[in-house]
Every structure is written in C-alpha cells, then in structure tokens.
Amino acid sequence: MKKFLMAVAAMFTMATAANAATSGIQDVQPKGGFNLGLMLGVPPVGGDWDANMPMISVDGNWTVASGLFNAGKFGQNGAIDLGFYYGVCHYENHYWEDAGLLQNSINFRSAFHFEFVPKLDVYGGMFGGVNIWSPTGDSEWDTDVKGCFGLKLGGKYYFTDVFGVKLEFAHDFIEDNIPGVAGGVSFKF
C-alpha cells in the first residue's frame, strides 16, 4: 500500500511539472520564513491494536536556504528547510479491556522544496527522532522509547500568502509508526 501511495505521489509531481506555468516563480520559500502545519494522519495499525483517533500532529519549519538555482521557466527556485514534528495517537488492545498505549512521536525534519506551479509547494525530505509509547488505563507495560527514521514527500497549496492546505506521504524505516498519509492546513509566516 505504501509503495502504491508513493507511486501516486510521484505521478502527481510529474503531472504538475508537465502542466507548469511558463512565468518565472521567485523564491518558493523566502530565506528565514517559517511554516506551521497542523495535520490529521491515518494511524498505522496492526496486530492486536486499534487506533482510537487519527494521528494529530503539528510541524514547524524554518527556511535556511532559498533561491538555490535558476530553473529556467520556473525562475529562481529551490529551498531547504529544517524543522520539527510532534504527533500523538492513542491505541487500544483487542484482548485487554481498558488497556492502551499512547504514542508520542517527536522528530526533526528537513526537506527540499520546489515550486512547479504558482502557489503549489512540492517537497521531499527526511526525518528522524523517537516514538515514545506510554501505557494508559490498566496497562501493565512500561514506557518504551524507540527510534524512527524515514522519508517524506508532500505538497502544499496556498490559497493566500498565509493560508494553505497540505498532503504528505511518509514512511518510517525503523518501526513504521508514522502515518503513511496525512493531510491538513499550513500557515506561512
């Protein structure tokens, strides 16, 4: 399923590039700019565990480099950002009533951004951090901390200079406990 979603995202990116506007686009993300995102993600589930809620996350990114190269008809384009991600989700077990786990995911992220069409910011990058699993209810498990590392691919479409919507695909190579698909809103400051 994840391979299929990544293929769909790649086709979306290529289709966007094929329909790109011929006017130059300046500075996909201005240097020093800040983006704040709020997302709901499809929680990864498996085995005896069911998620009680979608993964709720907040992310923030600072642009550290912008206008990296002159891309011809796409203008002075390309940006790199650094940021953070925090997501939370609650799971219950099929067999133990009142037993659950609370997942807190804390990650550092970096991405390369490119704008093929005005107002559409397409990006790809990586993340790394930890998943903290805490017992809830009558759970008898101890808190467990596991690392996570993966790749992400996404897009943001800005309706105004400040507000936009975003869709993101991600894959965690260690535990596979980051939502494969998440969507939400983005604010540019």
Side-chain angles (χ1 to χ4, degrees):
M1 179 69 169
K2 292 199 186 234
K3 289 180 184 178
F4 172 75
L5 293 174
M6 293 302 257
V8 169
M11 286 188 290
F12 172 74
T13 302
M14 289 187 295
T16 302
N19 294 319
T22 58
S23 61
I25 298 168
Q26 300 295 318
D27 292 337
V28 59
Q29 298 283 334
K31 184 176 180 181
F34 177 73
N35 287 288
L36 180 68
L38 303 169
M39 293 190 294
L40 294 176
V42 178
V45 294
D48 300 328
W49 296 95
D50 284 328
N52 287 345
M53 59 187 256
M55 169 93 54
I56 300 170
S57 64
V58 61
D59 62 88
N61 305 297
W62 290 270
T63 305
V64 295
S66 184
L68 297 177
F69 52 90
N70 190 340
K73 68 179 179 178
F74 298 117
Q76 194 74 22
N77 211 323
I80 296 175
D81 70 12
L82 297 174
F84 67 88
Y85 171 95
Y86 172 75
V88 63
C89 190
H90 184 264
Y91 296 88
E92 280 189 1
N93 194 288
H94 289 274
Y95 300 107
W96 294 286
E97 202 172 305
D98 299 328
L101 290 173
L102 185 66
Q103 175 191 4
N104 292 282
S105 184
I106 303 167
N107 293 301
F108 294 102
R109 301 165 32 126
S110 180
F112 175 77
H113 297 258
F114 197 86
E115 202 169 295
F116 294 104
V117 175
K119 299 183 180 182
L120 180 64
D121 173 14
V122 178
Y123 60 93
M126 64 180 127
F127 60 87
V130 295
N131 284 317
I132 304 168
W133 298 92
S134 303
T136 63
D138 292 334
S139 299
E140 297 179 8
W141 300 290
D142 293 328
T143 298
D144 189 18
V145 178
K146 294 187 178 180
C148 65
F149 172 78
L151 299 175
K152 64 179 180 158
L153 177 67
K156 302 175 189 176
Y157 184 82
Y158 286 96
F159 296 102
T160 69
D161 289 340
V162 176
F163 175 75
V165 293
K166 68 190 285 186
L167 180 65
E168 190 169 290
F169 301 93
H171 180 69
D172 176 5
F173 292 107
I174 297 177
E175 267 199 316
D176 203 17
N177 282 315
I178 297 292
V181 179
V185 295
S186 182
F187 301 93
K188 190 187 303 187
F189 300 99

